Amino acid sequence: LATGPRQNNGIFYEIRTYDIKPAKMKEFLELANKHFHLRTAHSELVGFWHTDLGALNKVLHIWKYDNFAHRTAVRHALANDKDWQEKFISVALPMMEKQHNEVAYLVPWCQLGTPPKEGGVYEWVTFQMKPGGPALWGEAFRAAINAHINTGYTRLIGVFHTEYGLLNTVHVLWWNASPDDRAGGRHNAHEDARVVAAVRNSVRFLESQQNVLLIPMQCSPLK
């Protein structure tokens, strides 16, 4: 995970998670869908979702940057964008309880994917791995991911390994046609000996795991 394209180019992804005040969630989503084009005019948005299961009143969005200088230039431009500041930021900030961001790279063996159609749901799974980095757990983790892909019940969108934030964290973004398709597929996967064996080998390096079901917003490129 720590070699290859990650060191041959500077592309990284910023993962931003906002906790929204429960009473303001509907208002925030409407505001974002109305004005987020002002933000995407400055840099590439990969996807924007709100949580439905596993965590409530959160939104998660992922941004792609060429390098850190690119991000710095974008942040400077946003600070000086009067429309963005007045129409979105000044209105949205009072609706938020907290903000969190991470910088992550796509693992070298994964390219950012797309769903086969619009209208599905996304699952964001966060794995906190044992200290030691990909040299310790990378091969086993990759095998576990591939075992799930090979069942065909789910589609992999991306695997992100943190560079800033809590280290030894891997986020995996999956797509399914519906929550029921996801539930049925997982049931079958749990009875697949290949998946069971790969997961058992990988969990030796696992500290904790958390997942949330995500619903794409109207302004999200990934829907």
Side-chain angles (χ1 to χ4, degrees), residues 34-218:
K34 181 178 181 180
H35 290 304
F36 225 63
H37 67 280
L38 299 172
R39 174 61 184 84
T40 55
H42 291 275
S43 65
E44 181 180 348
L45 175 66
V46 174
F48 196 167
W49 303 265
H50 63 89
T51 57
D52 189 54
L53 295 172
L56 297 178
N57 302 305
K58 291 180 181 285
V59 296
L60 183 148
H61 37 126
I62 303 174
W63 300 91
K64 181 180 179 181
Y65 292 103
D66 296 334
N67 48 48
F68 287 97
H70 178 207
R71 181 184 183 274
T72 298
V74 169
R75 301 300 295 177
H76 178 77
L78 288 169
N80 290 282
D81 185 329
K82 186 176 180 180
D83 277 350
W84 171 245
Q85 293 296 326
E86 293 182 355
K87 293 181 180 179
F88 183 84
I89 293 297
S90 63
V91 182
L93 284 179
M95 302 179 188
M96 301 180 191
E97 292 188 329
K98 62 181 179 179
Q99 297 172 286
H100 176 73
N101 76 329
E102 298 170 287
V103 166
Y105 295 94
L106 274 176
V107 297
W109 45 268
C110 170
Q111 293 184 345
L112 197 62
T114 57
K117 61 180 181 179
E118 294 185 1
V121 296
Y122 293 77
E123 184 178 11
W124 181 255
V125 189
T126 299
F127 299 89
Q128 187 59 42
M129 308 303 292
K130 291 182 181 295
L136 175 67
W137 42 258
E139 292 291 334
F141 188 87
R142 180 180 183 180
I145 294 296
N146 284 336
H148 282 83
I149 294 172
N150 292 338
T151 65
Y153 86 87
T154 187
R155 178 180 289 255
L156 180 67
I157 302 300
V159 181
F160 303 87
H161 179 216
T162 57
E163 180 77 4
Y164 285 96
L166 190 60
L167 299 182
N168 294 297
T169 301
V170 183
H171 300 290
V172 183
L173 183 62
W174 302 96
W175 178 90
N176 282 282
S178 72
D180 285 321
D181 281 348
R182 184 261 184 196
R186 290 217 17 117
H187 177 78
N188 293 333
H190 289 164
E191 297 181 347
D192 188 315
R194 297 165 299 174
V195 176
V196 172
V199 170
R200 283 179 177 171
N201 188 41
S202 180
V203 296
R204 296 182 296 127
F205 308 108
L206 183 64
E207 295 281 1
S208 65
Q209 181 178 343
Q210 184 178 18
N211 69 331
V212 293
L213 190 72
L214 300 174
I215 306 298
M217 294 177 58
Q218 295 174 14

Side-chain angles (χ1 to χ4, degrees), residues 1-41:
L1 301 184
T3 60
R6 172 177 171 175
Q7 293 166 332
N8 290 337
N9 63 62
I11 294 174
F12 67 84
Y13 298 83
E14 183 177 8
I15 302 162
R16 300 183 70 91
T17 305
Y18 299 164
D19 286 66
I20 309 300
K21 295 177 181 178
K24 295 293 185 179
M25 188 63 180
K26 182 176 182 293
E27 187 178 349
F28 178 89
L29 297 181
E30 291 173 349
L31 179 71
N33 282 322
K34 181 178 181 180
H35 290 304
F36 225 63
H37 67 280
L38 299 172
R39 174 61 184 84
T40 55

